Amino acid sequence: VIKCKAAVAWEAGKPLSLEEVEVAPPKAHEVRIKIVATAVCHTDAYTLSGADPEGCFPVILGHEGAGIVESVGEGVTKVKPGDTVIPLYIPQCGECKFCKNPKTNLCQKIRITQGKGVMPDGTSRFTCKGKQIYHFMGTSTFSEYTVVADISVAKIDAAAPLDKVCLLGCGISTGYGAAVNTAKVERGSTCAVFGLGGVGLAVVMGCKIAGASRIIGIDFNKDKYAKAKEFGATECISPRDFTKPIQEVLAEMTDGGVDYSFECIGNVGVMRAALEACHKGWGVSVIVGVAAAGQEIATRPFQLVTGRTWKGTAFGGWKSVDSVPKLVTEYMSKKIKVDEFVTHTLPFDKINEAFELMHTGK
C-alpha cells in the first residue's frame, strides 16, 4: 500500500481537501500510476457541484492526467513499470462490439462499474481516515498515485512533457477530434465555434488543420478573442452585440449559414442556435459540450428535414488506446498545439485555486 497526497471531495459543493490517502496495489488487469501532472476540467467541477446524478462521495476527481507506471497487476501485458502513460476515461478493450465497430470509440467493457466509482471488480483502491473513497471516470488523477484498469491506459512517448500532454487526456483531444473525426471538416469550409474555452480552442485548431477557410468564434468573454485568433479563428463575435438571435446573425454573415458548427459549452439553448446557424441542405452541427442531467434539446423538425445534421461526440471520436499515443506524436512533431492551452501552472496544494481560475474564465 502506498501512502500519498490526494485532493478528496468529501461532499458535494465543498472545496477539495488535501489528505493523506492509502492506495492499494493493483489487482489483476490493473495498473498503478504515479501521477506527475493533472489538469482541471469543467466535468470535475460539474460532479463536485452535486448536479451530476452519477456523482458518488467521497471521491477523488480528475481525468486529465499523465504519469509513470509504478506497478502492474497480474495479467497486464501492454504496459510495465517505468512506462510513461496517460489514463483514459474512455477505455479501449478491443473486444466489445463497440470497440470492434469503426463507427464509435465508446468502449462499454467497464462502463457500469466506472459509473459507480469503483474498479471492475466492484471495489475501490483508495482509503482515507478508514473510509473507502470512490474513483472518478476510471482515472482519479487528483492523487499522487492512482489505480486504473489496464484497458484505461495509453503508453506514450517517454520524451513527452507530462505537464503538457496531460491535456490530451480530455479537452484538447475532444475538441480537435470533434472537428476532424466527427464533423470531418473539409478544406475551404466555413465553421462556427460556440464557446472559446479549452475545448472550443481545440475545435478551432482542428478546423484550421482541416483547412477551413473561415472560422467564427462565438463567446461573451472578449478577453478570449486574441487567443482564439492565435489558434486559427478568422473572426470572433459576442451574441450580446446583436439584437437578433445569433443564428440569424451567422446566417447573414455567411450567405445562409455555416457548413459546420460546434457547441462547446453544454447549454441546450446554444445547441439549438448552433444547429440553426448551419446552412440548409448540408450543414452539420456537433454537440461537444455536456449539458446538465435531465436537460433536453429542441428545434423544429423542419431544420433537419431541410438537410441539416445534428451529431454528438465523446472524446472527439478517438479510439483511446490507439489514438492518444498518436496525438502525443502529433504534438511532438508540432502538428498540433498543446503548450498554448496552458494558462497557469500551480502546485498540487493550490488545486482549489485552479478551479476558481477556470470558473472565472482565466
Side-chain angles (χ1 to χ4, degrees), residues 6 127 215 223 227 309 355:
T127 49
I215 304 166
D223 295 343
K227 195 84 161 171
T309 305
F355 277 95

Side-chain angles (χ1 to χ4, degrees), residues 11-339:
E11 54 183 304
K14 294 277 167 67
L16 301 176
S17 175
L18 235 62
E19 306 280 2
E20 184 182 75
V21 298
E22 292 88 45
V23 185
K27 296 190 182 177
H29 295 289
E30 295 177 2
V31 179
R32 188 160 60 181
I33 302 166
K34 179 181 193 225
I35 296 288
V36 174
T38 186
V40 298
C41 172
H42 279 283
T43 311
D44 304 307
Y46 171 60
T47 298
L48 184 58
S49 75
D52 179 358
E54 264 201 354
C56 324
F57 294 90
V59 63
I60 295 171
L61 299 169
H63 63 283
E64 283 186 328
I68 311 290
V69 174
E70 177 272 333
S71 57
V72 298
E74 182 190 334
V76 174
T77 55
K78 300 229 170 112
V79 293
K80 63 185 187 305
D83 283 350
T84 305
V85 293
I86 290 178
L88 307 167
Y89 70 90
I90 293 182
Q92 186 187 351
C93 70
E95 295 164 359
C96 70
K97 68 178 180 181
F98 287 78
C99 282
K100 287 180 171 165
N101 191 322
K103 294 177 180 175
T104 184
N105 62 331
L106 296 175
C107 174
Q108 297 295 295
K109 181 82 181 263
I110 59 175
R111 174 75 199 97
I112 306 293
T113 49
Q114 182 173 315
K116 288 179 179 162
V118 290
M119 294 300 289
D121 73 347
T123 63
S124 166
R125 299 292 161 270
F126 297 120
T127 49
C128 180
K129 298 177 180 171
K131 289 198 178 91
Q132 171 184 287
I133 308 290
Y134 287 108
H135 294 251
F136 178 67
M137 289 176 77
T139 51
S140 288
T141 59
F142 294 172
S143 175
E144 291 177 328
Y145 287 85
T146 190
V147 179
V148 304
D150 63 353
I151 58 172
S152 302
V153 66
K155 181 182 171 181
I156 60 160
D157 183 342
L162 300 187
D163 61 331
K164 306 294 192 291
V165 295
C166 62
L167 291 168
L168 293 169
C170 178
I172 298 178
S173 306
T174 297
Y176 176 45
V180 299
N181 297 331
T182 309
K184 296 185 169 62
V185 170
E186 294 150 325
R187 188 159 294 287
S189 57
T190 299
C191 302
V193 182
F194 291 77
L196 298 172
V199 174
L201 292 176
V203 172
V204 169
M205 175 177 78
C207 292
K208 185 181 181 183
I209 289 170
S213 60
R214 200 169 168 196
I215 304 166
I216 305 165
I218 300 120
D219 202 299
F220 289 144
N221 184 349
K222 296 187 179 183
D223 295 343
K224 298 191 171 183
Y225 294 179
K227 195 84 161 171
K229 287 177 179 168
E230 265 177 59
F231 281 90
T234 53
E235 60 223 279
C236 295
I237 58 174
S238 167
R240 289 189 178 135
D241 290 346
F242 303 93
T243 50
K244 55 179 70 167
I246 194 69
Q247 51 267 55
E248 289 178 29
V249 174
L250 286 161
E252 282 173 18
M253 287 172 66
T254 57
D255 185 28
V258 298
D259 302 310
Y260 300 98
S261 71
F262 301 86
E263 197 280 352
C264 308
I265 301 161
N267 177 310
V268 293
V270 178
M271 291 172 188
R272 177 174 192 158
L275 176 79
E276 295 177 1
C278 284
H279 202 287
K280 184 192 280 191
W282 63 77
V284 174
S285 187
V286 182
I287 294 174
V288 193
V290 178
Q295 297 202 319
E296 297 185 351
I297 47 173
T299 189
R300 293 203 174 98
F302 195 67
Q303 294 284 341
L304 301 172
V305 170
T306 50
R308 293 170 192 82
T309 305
W310 222 343
K311 302 182 88 164
T313 188
F315 196 55
W318 302 107
K319 286 194 182 273
S320 58
V321 174
D322 293 344
S323 304
V324 168
K326 291 177 187 159
L327 289 167
V328 171
T329 302
E330 286 193 4
Y331 158 65
M332 300 291 275
S333 63
K334 302 212 164 23
K335 183 186 171 186
I336 61 171
K337 295 182 196 289
V338 173
D339 297 12

Side-chain angles (χ1 to χ4, degrees), residues 38 344-355 357:
T38 186
H344 297 75
T345 303
L346 300 165
F348 189 27
D349 58 10
K350 297 268 172 72
I351 190 160
N352 287 308
E353 282 179 38
F355 277 95
L357 287 162

